[in-house]
Amino acid sequence: MMSSRTFSPERLFKIRRLRKARRLFKKEPLFAFHNMCIEYPDYTITEFQDDLRRRTKKKKKFSKTPLSRYGRYWRMLQLKDRYQCTKDEKLIIKAMKLQANMTKPYRLRVRLKDLCWEYQFSPLIPIGEIESLVQQFNACQTEREVETIYKTFAESSSIPY
């Protein structure tokens, strides 16, 4: 149930004038002030501008995409921005590949002599962390190093695999 408010006659007059000014401005922006002056003889341009101004701030809209939680998303945006500046087609092709693989898990294959390991990681892990892990794997010389690097990465990452 709505509570009844009682406004003073002056307040009601201002509210009605404000609504009329906005309605006329939407219909005929060029002649709204002139029509308001005809209806209200002592109406000024400052009152008209005050009637048209926003009373509350606009809400900021952030585009939220569910893809932003994935690790490849921010790199894709960076590549798209760099493409806008440089128009280098290699950048946009990389961005398109990242977008195609956005929700797929990272698959890393580590080869050491005649041995091969394949690891899968969550797509939520930032791509920078995966790239640093690849560099660490590339520097490995023994099986034990590969296993210790994998274990330390698994422990340090807060995202499950």
Side-chain angles (χ1 to χ4, degrees):
M1 194 164 147
M2 291 187 58
S3 64
S4 61
R5 286 189 189 175
T6 54
F7 290 114
S8 66
E10 297 85 28
R11 177 86 173 119
L12 285 173
F13 175 77
K14 277 189 168 186
I15 291 171
R16 289 183 183 124
R17 189 187 72 193
L18 181 137
R19 288 182 180 163
K20 185 160 196 145
R22 290 182 179 180
R23 188 173 55 246
L24 283 174
F25 187 74
K26 276 186 180 178
K27 284 184 181 177
E28 310 170 334
L30 295 176
F31 303 108
F33 177 66
H34 178 70
N35 292 340
M36 289 295 289
C37 286
I38 291 171
E39 189 154 341
Y40 303 103
D42 54 343
Y43 194 62
T44 63
I45 188 74
T46 55
E47 289 176 326
F48 181 66
Q49 289 171 341
D50 187 51
D51 286 344
L52 294 181
R53 81 172 163 81
R54 292 186 73 85
R55 298 295 192 244
T56 58
K57 289 185 178 179
K58 271 188 174 179
K59 290 183 180 178
K60 290 185 180 180
K61 293 183 182 178
F62 296 103
S63 59
K64 293 190 177 184
T65 174
L67 295 178
S68 64
R69 25 179 278 219
Y70 290 100
R72 296 177 178 107
Y73 180 75
W74 299 108
R75 177 67 57 82
M76 180 194 67
L77 287 183
Q78 286 176 346
L79 290 171
K80 283 184 177 181
D81 288 342
R82 277 201 274 160
Y83 170 75
Q84 292 295 329
C85 296
T86 63
K87 300 297 183 195
D88 185 11
E89 292 178 1
K90 292 177 186 175
L91 296 174
I92 200 69
I93 290 170
K94 283 182 185 177
M96 288 170 62
K97 285 181 182 176
L98 285 175
Q99 189 172 12
N101 297 324
M102 185 75 61
T103 60
K104 296 178 184 172
Y106 296 103
R107 293 178 63 200
L108 296 183
R109 188 171 292 158
V110 181
R111 290 188 183 161
L112 195 63
K113 299 176 186 167
D114 53 338
L115 297 173
C116 184
W117 295 272
E118 188 166 318
Y119 298 109
Q120 262 190 325
F121 298 101
S122 168
L124 304 178
I125 298 173
I127 196 167
E129 291 182 24
I130 297 295
E131 288 171 344
S132 66
L133 180 66
V134 168
Q135 288 176 349
Q136 291 174 358
F137 279 147
N138 288 338
C140 291
Q141 300 296 323
T142 64
E143 298 173 32
R144 182 173 279 165
E145 288 179 14
V146 171
E147 290 299 322
T148 55
I149 288 173
Y150 173 73
K151 285 180 182 175
T152 55
F153 184 77
E155 289 171 1
S156 67
S157 179
S158 62
I159 300 170
Y161 295 74

